[in-house]
Amino acid sequence: MRFADFPFLRYLPFILMGIFCGQSSWSPDLLTLAIILAVIWLCYLLLISSHRKQKSPIPPNSLAYLALFVFGALLVQNKERHRDFRTDLLHADNYLAEVTMYDQQKPNSFENLLEVKSALIEGVWSDAYGKVLVYHQSAQALKPGEVVLVKKKPETIASPLNPYEFDYMQYLERQGIQYRQFLGKDFQVIDSEGGSRFDYFLVHLRHRIAEMIKSKIPNEKSAQIALALLLGQKKALDPSIREAYAQAGVMHILAVSGLHVGIIYAFFILILKPLKLKKEKARLYLLFVILVIWLYALLTGLAPSVVRAATMFSLLTLGQMRERRPSIYNILAFSAILMITINPDLIYEVGFQLSYLAVLGIVMIQPLILNCWLPRYKILEYIWQLTSVSIAAQLVTFPLSLYYFHIFPTYFLLGNLLIIPLAFLIMQVGVPLMILGWIPIVSDALGWVLSWLIWLQNWIAEAIQLIPGGKLDRLTMDFSGMIFVWGMLLIAASWEFGSKRKLSWLALSLVFCWAGFQLYKEYQIPSKELIVYQGKKSQLFDFSSSGVLYSWNLGLEPGEISYSIYPNRLQNHWSQFPESLTGLQHDSGELEFVGADFAFNPANKKLKFSASPKSIHYWSESDWVELPVIDSIAIDSIAYRILF
């Protein structure tokens, strides 16, 4: 097995590097990149033609890889150009927008997404573009395709105020959403005929199927799971059932993914052999399977993991039609290139990253685990195969899961062994229900079976949740830790194929690099550090001294603390339950904190330092920015970090 045998796997890293560089401030603009790419390809063609006559001093491959690098940067700049075309709706007095989805129920309102078509700016109506996330309280539900008139300007989405707080603005921006707005009832539907257009055919079909499923499954929790499993609609999931599935380590089955596409693919492929079709008819049948897979992908909203799986199974099926078995690594890399070409921001989506990592883990690590035991009986062999797949996927994805979610489900293996077979059965009943749901007796029978299977699945998830020690939380892993774990797994997967001496040296080098990076991080930790967090109406101080955390809350609510404060404490490995700072209040109203190097005046919100700080920083655009050192600062609307 040679790396040269996987061309798309060789191309992918260069495109990714180009995307990362294209997002930097020093990246050339779209036109410059297009010219550079054209020149590179012209040079490449000249080198190829001259290479046939005489050996060229420049390898043609190097120019091809450079072209892929520039192509990656070009993808980013092209998307940025489309973003620049969006109208600044903050100056709009009124705007006309098209409804793009059905209402999502929220505690006190309904959520929807509007796509702006025209805006009234300084008394002139003109074409406009932008997406606005809206919340309304109208008794009349909004439907896709309707056109609404909004007589007030939307708001921009605020960036996070505190360190390592979830960046909701960036999350929406990568979906093309720049604004949000609470409408209440202050809008007017001026056209309700647009929803009949073909553009919204799949949206309406998905909604009708969802309503039919809910009507056939009276149990609310079971209906929520059915919608998540079959259609990927998990926004309405009850928090308690979501937590049960998370602790059971099977949350991935509630997001339509490669597992679901694989189940559908397996169902159709398994019945191919008993049909005993001739060659030409078998090919037509396989084309039908590809069509079904992509129809399901379209119906579920083309989530990244679904597109990846649909592309993979389509290529595998095409290879089967030609009686060839294409490399799974090439298929994975090709599907990734295809998806990031359409939308380069996909590389930042957690679902996209976890999906590819899980498949890589199954392909590379699962055979090693599988060979550790050869069961004698079929049932044990099936259990062992499922176990090895679960372990392999978990081994490769857990570093990223800790990096994002800081939780590890202890009983993931038990959950996968019990719930995934049930999910397979649910899909075998649920897909026919989606197709035959309009036939009364058949749909009632399928709905009853589906409801019972989901109830059993929920019961198992909730039972696993009751076992003590169901999850390990507050776990962290930095980027160097992820590289170390993935590097060691890659070495283990390559052990039988590569030079054991070189792999041993590589493993030793990884250990030393990771240990050195950890020592450097420890060295960088200050002995005394003050963090000033900003809440909606007040502040909170965290003062770390010699590894002990002290805190003073000026009025943040528990929900605010969990959302805004915990991420930074987790990042710094600080306690979630700090000791309280002791404050002495002077006649002037100033609070002097005992044992700390600062005092605070609540009246003018001024922070004074009794000892000169080493440095002062404020939080901006996901990083600390240094300020000049002064003896006091006014606590305004941003977070501060002061090192003593």
Side-chain angles (χ1 to χ4, degrees):
M1 185 175 69
R2 302 176 306 159
F3 189 58
D5 295 332
F6 311 108
F8 290 107
L9 198 58
R10 298 201 313 272
Y11 305 155
L12 181 59
F14 292 95
I15 296 175
L16 290 175
M17 286 189 290
I19 288 173
F20 293 135
C21 290
Q23 292 169 334
S24 61
S25 57
W26 48 266
S27 173
D29 60 21
L30 181 66
L31 180 60
T32 307
L33 285 169
I35 294 170
I36 292 171
L37 186 60
V39 170
I40 292 171
W41 275 115
L42 182 61
C43 294
Y44 177 77
L45 292 173
L46 290 173
L47 275 177
I48 289 292
S49 60
S50 63
H51 189 70
R52 294 172 183 172
K53 300 176 183 177
Q54 58 182 0
K55 193 171 182 180
S56 171
I58 303 173
N61 285 350
S62 60
L63 280 179
Y65 292 136
L66 181 60
L68 290 170
F69 176 85
V70 175
F71 175 68
L74 193 71
L75 292 175
V76 176
Q77 290 301 316
N78 183 54
K79 187 151 190 176
E80 290 298 327
R81 180 178 69 92
H82 286 295
R83 283 175 180 155
D84 292 341
F85 283 162
R86 294 173 186 171
T87 309
D88 187 358
L89 296 177
L90 297 178
H91 299 102
D93 299 314
N94 302 337
Y95 66 87
L96 287 169
E98 189 171 274
V99 181
T100 62
M101 55 185 269
Y102 281 91
D103 285 340
Q104 295 284 337
Q105 178 71 61
K106 295 296 176 181
N108 300 309
S109 62
F110 296 97
E111 180 186 273
N112 211 307
L113 183 64
L114 303 183
E115 191 170 293
V116 178
K117 298 299 180 182
S118 183
L120 179 65
I121 301 175
E122 296 180 353
V124 179
W125 282 97
S126 57
D127 292 342
Y129 179 74
K131 291 183 178 179
V132 187
L133 190 67
V134 298
Y135 302 87
H136 73 89
Q137 295 175 321
S138 172
Q140 187 69 31
L142 291 177
K143 297 177 182 177
E146 292 182 340
V147 177
V148 298
L149 172 64
V150 181
K151 296 185 177 180
K152 54 183 179 181
K153 62 189 70 175
E155 305 168 350
T156 55
I157 301 158
S159 58
L161 296 175
N162 298 298
Y164 306 107
E165 185 179 332
F166 176 65
D167 195 339
Y168 190 56
M169 180 186 73
Q170 187 182 72
Y171 170 75
L172 291 179
E173 173 64 27
R174 285 177 177 154
Q175 299 177 53
I177 303 170
Q178 290 181 309
Y179 307 96
R180 66 177 172 183
Q181 187 174 16
F182 180 77
L183 299 179
K185 298 179 182 180
D186 191 14
F187 65 93
Q188 181 183 355
V189 177
I190 62 172
D191 181 10
S192 58
E193 298 300 319
S196 59
R197 296 203 320 262
F198 182 74
D199 309 24
Y200 293 105
F201 171 75
L202 285 173
V203 178
H204 294 311
L205 179 60
R206 190 183 306 128
H207 179 73
R208 286 197 293 269
I209 292 174
E211 292 299 312
M212 181 271 295
I213 288 172
K214 285 191 282 188
S215 70
K216 300 299 177 183
I217 303 176
N219 183 279
E220 187 177 352
K221 286 186 177 180
S222 295
Q224 290 173 6
I225 297 296
L227 293 177
L229 264 169
L230 299 171
L231 294 172
Q233 297 181 1
K234 57 178 185 175
K235 286 188 176 180
L237 274 177
D238 185 88
S240 62
I241 199 70
R242 187 189 291 266
E243 179 65 18
Y245 276 77
Q247 286 204 29
V250 290
M251 193 64 191
H252 57 281
I253 73 165
L254 298 184
V256 172
S257 62
L259 172 68
H260 304 73
V261 178
I263 290 172
I264 293 173
Y265 175 79
F267 173 77
F268 283 100
I269 293 299
L270 284 173
I271 63 175
L272 175 61
K273 195 171 182 180
L275 290 175
K276 296 180 180 179
L277 298 174
K278 291 182 180 180
K279 198 169 187 178
E280 292 304 319
K281 289 185 178 179
R283 286 180 177 177
L284 286 174
Y285 179 81
L286 290 173
L287 283 174
F288 168 74
V289 172
I290 294 173
L291 179 64
V292 169
I293 287 171
W294 281 103
L295 281 175
Y296 182 70
L298 286 166
L299 188 62
T300 54
L302 294 175
S305 56
V306 175
V307 174
R308 186 266 307 158
T311 304
M312 282 181 56
F313 286 121
S314 297
L315 293 173
L316 286 171
T317 306
L318 289 171
Q320 190 175 351
M321 290 168 63
R322 297 180 60 192
E323 298 179 354
R324 294 179 58 185
R325 288 194 65 185
S327 163
I328 189 67
Y329 298 106
N330 263 335
I331 290 174
L332 271 175
F334 175 78
S335 64
I337 290 171
L338 179 66
M339 292 172 68
I340 62 179
T341 299
I342 297 169
N343 181 10
D345 282 342
L346 272 179
I347 60 175
Y348 297 104
E349 288 197 11
V350 182
F352 178 86
Q353 297 167 8
L354 288 174
S355 173
Y356 277 90
L357 281 174
V359 176
L360 276 174
I362 292 167
V363 172
M364 297 176 64
I365 308 297
Q366 193 254 355
L368 304 178
I369 300 171
L370 195 62
N371 291 335
C372 293
W373 182 40
L374 298 174
R376 296 175 58 186
Y377 304 105
K378 285 285 184 183
I379 183 65
L380 288 178
E381 184 182 356
Y382 167 76
I383 294 172
W384 178 235
Q385 284 182 349
L386 186 57
T387 301
S388 61
V389 166
S390 299
I391 294 173
Q394 195 71 44
L395 275 174
V396 177
T397 56
F398 91 88
L400 198 66
S401 296
L402 296 190
Y403 181 79
Y404 283 120
F405 308 118
H406 314 293
I407 292 174
F408 183 79
T410 314
Y411 304 119
F412 76 91
L413 195 54
L414 178 63
N416 278 274
L417 285 173
L418 296 177
I419 290 178
I420 286 183
L422 263 177
F424 181 85
L425 290 175
I426 289 169
M427 289 291 293
Q428 302 310 311
V429 178
V431 172
L433 176 61
M434 291 165 64
I435 299 169
L436 306 173
W438 324 113
I439 305 174
I441 298 175
V442 175
S443 62
D444 290 340
L446 290 172
W448 182 84
V449 174
L450 189 62
S451 180
W452 184 85
L453 287 172
I454 294 175
W455 176 87
L456 180 61
Q457 182 176 272
N458 290 347
W459 182 84
I460 292 171
E462 289 169 343
I464 293 173
Q465 186 184 21
L466 294 175
I467 304 174
K471 69 174 180 180
L472 303 175
D473 55 7
R474 301 199 71 246
L475 303 175
T476 58
M477 182 171 286
D478 58 14
F479 188 75
S480 67
M482 289 194 294
I483 297 299
F484 173 73
V485 172
W486 289 332
M488 297 302 285
L489 288 173
L490 189 60
I491 290 168
S494 308
W495 191 255
E496 294 298 322
F497 308 103
S499 167
K500 292 180 174 55
R501 182 181 177 184
K502 290 180 179 178
L503 290 172
S504 298
W505 277 110
L506 181 59
L508 194 61
S509 301
L510 276 174
V511 170
F512 276 110
C513 288
W514 177 76
F517 191 80
Q518 298 307 309
L519 287 172
Y520 175 75
K521 281 180 62 180
E522 288 293 323
Y523 176 76
Q524 293 292 105
I525 296 174
S527 57
K528 289 184 179 181
E529 177 180 4
L530 170 66
I531 304 290
V532 180
Y533 304 98
Q534 291 291 339
K536 292 178 181 177
K537 299 179 181 178
S538 56
Q539 293 79 32
L540 184 144
F541 300 151
D542 269 354
F543 182 68
S544 173
S545 177
S546 302
V548 181
L549 182 66
Y550 303 89
S551 188
W552 184 274
N553 186 1
L554 295 171
L556 265 69
E557 299 291 333
E560 277 190 277
I561 294 174
S562 175
Y563 184 80
S564 302
I565 313 302
Y566 281 2
N568 186 60
R569 288 179 179 173
L570 192 62
Q571 190 74 21
N572 289 285
H573 303 282
W574 291 343
S575 171
Q576 300 291 66
F577 306 100
E579 297 184 28
S580 179
L581 275 169
T582 303
L584 300 176
Q585 191 165 23
H586 298 297
D587 294 338
S588 62
E590 184 178 77
L591 283 168
E592 182 180 353
F593 294 99
V594 178
D597 297 320
F598 66 95
F600 179 67
N601 191 327
N604 57 16
K605 292 194 173 182
K606 200 165 188 178
L607 196 66
K608 292 174 62 178
F609 308 117
S610 53
S612 180
K614 292 180 181 177
S615 62
I616 301 174
H617 305 79
Y618 71 94
W619 185 256
S620 175
E621 296 183 358
S622 303
D623 202 2
W624 290 113
V625 180
E626 191 166 359
L627 287 169
V629 175
I630 50 179
D631 60 0
S632 65
I633 55 174
I635 302 302
D636 44 26
S637 58
I638 56 177
Y640 289 93
R641 181 188 188 213
I642 299 97
L643 305 182
F644 297 98

